[in-house]
């Protein structure tokens, strides 16, 4: 293995200080945006983008003999994405897009100035020392445009990855930032190296070292994002002690973006606060939609109406808190057994409902058995233990198009069969009249 360049660690440390300075400058601009808006951040991003694309070919630090690291790509480019992510979080996606559009436009204009102004840069005389000949000007302009266009793609990947991680994996703020920055930066490392250095025989080593450097920078900026974000006074963030200016815990999973808050509000509007299943308003709407869809497509739709047996006795004997615990456990059981396309709802009081798209009587029977088993499991694991046996429940099932062709009729048939189950002693499913 070749020896590490003796000056590399010192130069890497200086790059780290530069990266920290850039992050602090961006956050300062964000903190005082109520006075001057987002214009300073837009100016910074435009400068960073131009500077990093220029330094990508003009300043490289030797890591091993023959293996170099781009100072601009490692220290400056991730700062651009850091700024985009910060604006996205403290404002919204529209502002982040405007920021990127401004940077792309500024760099395209700079590339045009380089191309059309090349004769001035290469004019003879003591006052013209750039020596930018036509091939060099064209190459620099191509790199500037490439970097600007890639920024637009990088920003799109950054935002989508940040939201995807929250919706599919979790809202851990540090993990979200690391994933989003790492993915977008990795894409940029590959795309920029291939476009700019594609003809170089050292493409592999260039790509490898740039990828490693940029991923290291992504981790650094993720930590900077975590610790500097509260100082930018993000509205809507409530930390563990209730103060928006205190550090956000690494494991913070609350709403942080406007989309997080919107999604939380949307869920609270359609979810039953106690049990976590959908509420009555959502059920009424979805029942109508799914009934029409089933009839239009010639599919089956099964409705289960569910009522907890002897629930009033639980409330009267053990109190409403115990009754609430029963409802919570039953909601958990329904969510556990429901398939991806099934809709579990709280119909009212101790009554629940489930819509099963494409369901059959056999599926309804299996769900009844699985719910009984899951409720028994949750009941046994309850802490503190409930002082009475697991509640039983009665079910009435009806299907489209077998039993009804409208939502109202489907509900009426299921309700009639539910009470048939109750009259028969409960703890059973009735699927036919």
């Amino acid at each position: 293995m070749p020896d590490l360049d003796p000056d590399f660690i010192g130069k890497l440390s200086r790059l780290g200080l530069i990266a920290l300075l850039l992050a602090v400058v961006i956050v300062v601009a964000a903190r005082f945006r109520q006075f001057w808006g987002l214009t300073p951040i837009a100016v910074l991003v435009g400068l960073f983008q131009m500077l990093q694309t220029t330094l990508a070919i003009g300043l490289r630090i030797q890591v091993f003999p023959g293996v170099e690291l781009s100072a601009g790509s490692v220290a400056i480019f991730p700062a651009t994405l850091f700024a985009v992510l910060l604006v996205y979080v403290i404002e919204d996606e529209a502002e982040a897009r405007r920021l990127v559009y401004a940077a792309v436009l500024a760099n395209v204009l700079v590339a045009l100035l380089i191309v059309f102004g090349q004769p001035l840069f290469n004019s003879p005389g003591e006052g013209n020392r750039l020596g930018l000949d036509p091939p060099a000007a064209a190459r620099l302009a191509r790199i500037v445009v490439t970097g600007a266009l890639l920024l637009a793609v990088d920003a799109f990947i950054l935002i989508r990855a940040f939201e995807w991680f929250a919706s599919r994996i979790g809202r851990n703020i540090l993990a979200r930032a690391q994933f989003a920055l790492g993915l977008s930066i990795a894409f940029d490392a590959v795309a920029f190296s291939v476009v700019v250095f594609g003809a170089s025989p050292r493409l592999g080593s260039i790509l490898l070292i740039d990828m490693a450097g940029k991923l290291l920078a992504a981790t650094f900026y993720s930590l900077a994002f975590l610790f500097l974000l509260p100082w930018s006074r993000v509205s809507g963030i409530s930390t563990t002690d209730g103060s928006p200016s205190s550090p956000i815990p690494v494991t913070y999973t609350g709403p942080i973006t406007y989309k997080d808050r919107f999604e939380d509000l949307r869920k609270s509007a359609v979810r039953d606060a106690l049990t976590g299943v959908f509420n009555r308003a959502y059920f009424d709407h979805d029942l109508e939609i799914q009934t029409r869809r089933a009839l239009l497509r010639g599919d089956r739709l099964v409705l289960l109406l569910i009522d907890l047996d002897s629930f009033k006795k639980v409330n009267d004997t053990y109190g409403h808190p115990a009754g609430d615990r029963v409802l919570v456990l039953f909601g958990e059981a329904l969510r556990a057994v429901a398939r991806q396309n099934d809709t579990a709802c709280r119909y009212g009081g101790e009554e629940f409902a489930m819509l099963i798209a494409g369901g059959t009587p056999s599926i309804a029977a299996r769900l009844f058995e699985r719910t009984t088993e899951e409720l028994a499991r949750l009941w046994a694991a309850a802490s503190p233990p409930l002082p009475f046996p697991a509640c039983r429940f009665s079910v009435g099932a009806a299907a489209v198009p077998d039993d009804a062709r409208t939502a109202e009729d489907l509900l009426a048939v299921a309700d009639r069969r539910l009470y048939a189950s109750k009259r028969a002693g409960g703890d059973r499913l009735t699927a036919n009249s």
Side-chain angles (χ1 to χ4, degrees):
M1 182 177 178
D3 294 333
L4 186 70
D5 187 279
D7 295 331
F8 175 68
I9 299 299
K11 293 177 179 177
L12 188 64
S13 300
R14 284 191 287 275
L15 281 181
L17 290 176
I18 292 172
L20 179 60
L21 176 62
L22 296 179
V24 170
V25 168
I26 291 170
V27 171
V28 169
R31 178 181 176 90
F32 297 105
R33 66 191 183 278
Q34 65 266 36
F35 301 113
W36 52 49
L38 294 176
T39 300
I41 299 181
V43 172
L44 287 171
V45 167
L47 290 174
F48 291 168
Q49 184 67 9
M50 179 62 197
L51 191 58
Q52 76 92 10
T53 51
T54 304
L55 293 181
I57 58 171
L59 179 61
R60 303 187 70 84
I61 297 173
Q62 180 169 280
V63 182
F64 303 110
V67 179
E68 299 173 328
L69 181 69
S70 169
S73 295
V74 170
I76 302 177
F77 168 70
T80 304
L81 292 182
F82 171 82
V84 172
L85 183 60
L86 186 65
V87 169
Y88 173 70
V89 169
I90 64 178
E91 294 292 339
D92 56 27
E93 188 170 352
E95 289 295 342
R97 283 201 305 266
R98 293 188 189 101
L99 184 67
V100 173
Y101 295 157
V104 171
L105 178 60
N107 281 270
V108 170
L109 291 176
V110 167
L112 292 175
L113 290 174
I114 292 172
V115 172
F116 292 111
Q118 181 276 328
L120 296 175
F121 302 145
N122 200 38
S123 299
E126 288 298 319
N128 299 282
R129 300 180 181 275
L130 289 178
L132 197 60
D133 57 29
R139 183 166 184 258
L140 180 58
R142 179 168 62 90
I143 292 175
V144 171
V145 171
T146 298
L149 295 179
L150 280 177
L151 174 62
V153 180
D154 297 336
F156 175 82
I157 294 173
L158 176 75
I159 293 172
R160 296 283 78 79
F162 194 74
E163 293 302 334
W164 179 90
F165 192 93
S167 63
R168 299 295 181 88
I169 300 177
R171 288 185 180 179
N172 180 298
I173 182 61
L174 180 59
R176 287 177 76 179
Q178 282 183 315
F179 177 78
L181 285 169
L183 188 63
S184 55
I185 284 175
F187 167 81
D188 186 87
V190 174
F192 190 81
S193 297
V194 170
V195 172
V196 177
F197 303 105
S200 172
R202 297 186 298 137
L203 174 62
S205 60
I206 292 173
L207 176 58
L208 183 63
I209 199 66
D210 266 12
M211 180 76 78
K214 285 183 173 180
L215 289 178
L216 180 63
T219 301
F220 171 83
Y221 278 104
S222 298
L223 293 169
F225 179 79
L226 175 70
F227 291 107
L228 295 179
L229 179 60
W231 197 71
S232 65
R233 292 181 177 174
V234 181
S235 61
I237 293 181
S238 176
T239 54
T240 52
D241 63 358
S243 170
S245 60
S246 60
I248 298 177
V250 175
T251 56
Y252 178 72
T253 57
I256 190 170
T257 69
Y258 76 103
K259 282 192 174 180
D260 290 345
R261 294 190 289 275
F262 173 80
E263 186 63 21
D264 285 353
L265 287 173
R266 187 188 68 82
K267 288 180 178 178
S268 66
V270 300
R271 294 280 180 178
D272 177 64
L274 179 64
T275 62
V277 298
F278 290 108
N279 59 25
R280 172 65 182 271
Y282 183 86
F283 169 76
D284 290 341
H285 173 76
D286 200 45
L287 175 64
E288 188 71 35
I289 295 297
Q290 291 212 46
T291 300
R292 292 179 181 177
R293 183 184 300 153
L295 291 171
L296 181 64
R297 297 178 178 178
D299 294 337
R300 289 175 56 85
L301 173 67
V302 173
L303 167 63
L304 303 182
L305 277 185
I306 309 165
D307 185 83
L308 295 176
D309 298 333
S310 304
F311 183 76
K312 184 178 183 303
K313 183 178 179 181
V314 170
N315 276 337
D316 293 343
T317 305
Y318 300 99
H320 288 281
D324 286 347
R325 289 188 64 195
V326 171
L327 295 174
V328 169
L329 290 178
F330 194 76
E332 288 183 27
L334 285 184
R335 294 202 309 272
V337 303
R339 302 172 305 171
Q340 184 175 2
N341 294 327
D342 297 340
T343 305
C345 308
R346 186 179 179 189
Y347 189 68
E350 70 273 23
E351 291 190 32
F352 292 80
M354 184 176 289
L355 289 169
I356 308 169
T360 63
S362 61
I363 290 177
R366 285 200 298 272
L367 279 174
F368 176 79
E369 294 171 359
R370 290 178 56 203
T371 305
T372 301
E373 294 169 357
E374 182 64 20
L375 182 62
R377 186 189 68 80
L378 293 171
W379 206 281
S383 180
L386 287 162
F388 46 91
C391 284
R392 302 297 181 178
F393 55 94
S394 301
V395 181
V400 170
D402 302 356
D403 302 307
R405 300 190 67 85
T406 67
E408 293 80 4
D409 291 344
L410 183 66
L411 188 59
V413 173
D415 189 60
R416 187 169 64 247
R417 291 174 179 173
L418 169 62
Y419 280 98
S421 293
K422 300 287 284 186
R423 286 194 301 271
D427 191 20
R428 69 190 63 222
L429 165 71
T430 300
N432 50 64
S433 301

